[in-house]
């Protein structure tokens, strides 16, 4: 069932979103070649807890980290650990913060040092498709409209759009209805209404859209070993458009 939030609830979600967005800023300031993904995870956890919130991901379904940290061909759900971040890597950091009964959820892919032109182009297309979809959000728009726009934008640029994982509603639970695919058919799907809160999160690959889940049950890589990028914001639908809840002040 889709939860429609009141203005007061969305105000609380904005607080969770600000902390979530701030944690990503802190991660971006800290990330550098030579640090481990566990060290980066610690930066995220300390930021979130220092602001009175709890990391949404820590312990979620048994996940052991405060952030999903996914390098190069890892699409999502990279487990923080001893892996060393290297110059030229692209690193997706996905974080969530829980406070006041609500979650925020956001992701950004960071370039570490001097990355390839191919990596830059992939990141650019992925991020631009996120903001294209956000620009479309308003009451009456269908989720298929958003998915179709993200799909076309990235496929026109020669990239793959992951099918197995999608965006979702956000609220008192980290993952709520409805599912928010990054692909689809315009004019189809759930119709947005004011008070709905969704996470839009394009997961885009350099080559094939197919993915494979590793033996740890979490780490999800591109099937062909090519790069992947991931950008995400939590969005509240308003009477006249939308508000990005996870955008830092």
């Amino acid at each position: 069932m889709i939860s429609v939030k009141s203005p007061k609830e969305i105000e609380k979600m904005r607080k969770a979103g600000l902390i979530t967005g701030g944690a990503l800023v802190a991660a971006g300031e800290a990330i550098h070649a030579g640090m481990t993904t566990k060290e980066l995870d610690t930066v995220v956890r300390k930021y979130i807890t220092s602001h009175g919130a709890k990391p949404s991901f820590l312990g979620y379904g048994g996940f052991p980290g405060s952030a999903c940290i996914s390098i190069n061909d890892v699409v999502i759900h990279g487990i923080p650990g001893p892996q060393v971040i290297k110059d030229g890597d692209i690193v997706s950091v996905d974080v969530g913060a829980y406070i006041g009964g609500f979650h925020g959820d956001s992701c950004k892919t960071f370039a570490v040092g001097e990355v390839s032109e191919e990596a830059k182009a992939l990141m650019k297309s992925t991020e631009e498709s996120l903001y294209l979809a956000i620009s479309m959000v308003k009451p009456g728009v269908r989720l298929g409209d958003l998915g179709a726009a993200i799909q076309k934008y990235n496929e026109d640029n020669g990239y793959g759009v992951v099918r197995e994982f999608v965006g979702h509603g956000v609220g008192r639970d980290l993952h709520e209805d409805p599912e928010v695919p990054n692909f689809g058919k315009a004019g189809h799907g759930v119709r947005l209404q004011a008070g709905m809160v969704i996470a839009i999160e394009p997961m885009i690959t350099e080559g094939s859209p197919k993915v494979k889940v590793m033996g740890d049950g979490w780490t999800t890589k591109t099937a062909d070993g090519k790069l992947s990028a991931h950008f995400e914001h939590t969005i509240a639908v308003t009477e006249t458009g939308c508000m990005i809840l996870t955008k830092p002040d």
Side-chain angles (χ1 to χ4, degrees):
M1 188 173 72
I2 297 171
S3 167
V4 176
K5 279 74 175 177
S6 69
K8 187 172 286 187
E9 288 175 321
I10 289 176
E11 191 176 317
K12 289 182 178 180
M13 291 199 69
R14 175 60 174 151
K15 184 175 183 180
L18 282 172
I19 296 171
T20 301
L24 272 183
V25 171
E29 291 172 347
I31 194 169
H32 63 272
M35 79 184 311
T36 66
T37 55
K38 181 63 176 176
E39 289 169 337
L40 185 57
D41 183 73
T42 299
V43 170
V44 170
R45 176 177 53 79
K46 287 184 174 178
Y47 182 92
I48 291 171
T49 57
S50 72
H51 286 77
K54 295 179 180 179
S56 298
F57 299 171
L58 186 59
Y60 184 84
F63 189 78
S66 296
C68 298
I69 302 176
S70 306
I71 300 177
N72 295 332
D73 65 332
V74 179
V75 181
I76 51 171
H77 301 162
I79 297 174
Q83 184 175 6
V84 176
I85 296 168
K86 299 180 177 65
D87 187 76
D89 283 344
I90 61 171
V91 183
S92 298
V93 182
D94 192 355
V95 305
Y98 178 76
I99 190 170
F102 292 93
H103 294 272
D105 192 2
S106 188
C107 182
K108 183 173 182 178
T109 302
F110 297 96
V112 180
E114 190 56 44
V115 304
S116 68
E117 292 302 316
E118 290 81 7
K120 290 177 186 176
L122 173 65
M123 292 168 60
K124 182 173 186 286
S125 183
T126 307
E127 186 172 24
E128 286 179 349
S129 71
L130 168 61
Y131 285 100
L132 169 62
I134 291 172
S135 74
M136 297 169 61
V137 173
K138 62 182 179 180
V141 168
R142 292 186 180 272
L143 289 178
D145 300 333
L146 305 183
I150 291 170
Q151 180 181 358
K152 184 177 189 306
Y153 192 87
N154 287 289
E155 290 183 348
D156 283 354
N157 286 331
Y159 300 123
V161 180
V162 171
R163 301 298 201 276
E164 289 88 343
F165 298 91
V166 297
H168 50 90
V170 186
R172 293 189 181 277
D173 293 322
L174 180 60
H175 294 97
E176 297 184 348
D177 291 334
E179 290 191 343
V180 183
N182 299 304
F183 54 91
K185 193 171 182 181
H188 289 67
V190 171
R191 194 184 296 276
L192 296 176
Q193 59 178 298
M196 289 176 61
V197 179
I198 57 174
I200 304 174
E201 49 177 321
M203 290 159 270
I204 307 301
T205 62
E206 186 181 18
S208 168
K210 296 186 181 299
V211 299
K212 55 185 178 181
V213 180
M214 300 294 100
D216 59 26
W218 287 103
T219 306
T220 301
K221 294 187 174 185
T222 57
D224 58 10
K226 293 188 176 182
L227 296 175
S228 177
H230 181 196
F231 287 83
E232 174 186 20
H233 272 306
T234 300
I235 310 297
V237 184
T238 67
E239 295 289 349
T240 56
C242 69
M243 173 170 52
I244 304 176
L245 298 178
T246 45
K247 186 175 183 179
D249 276 346

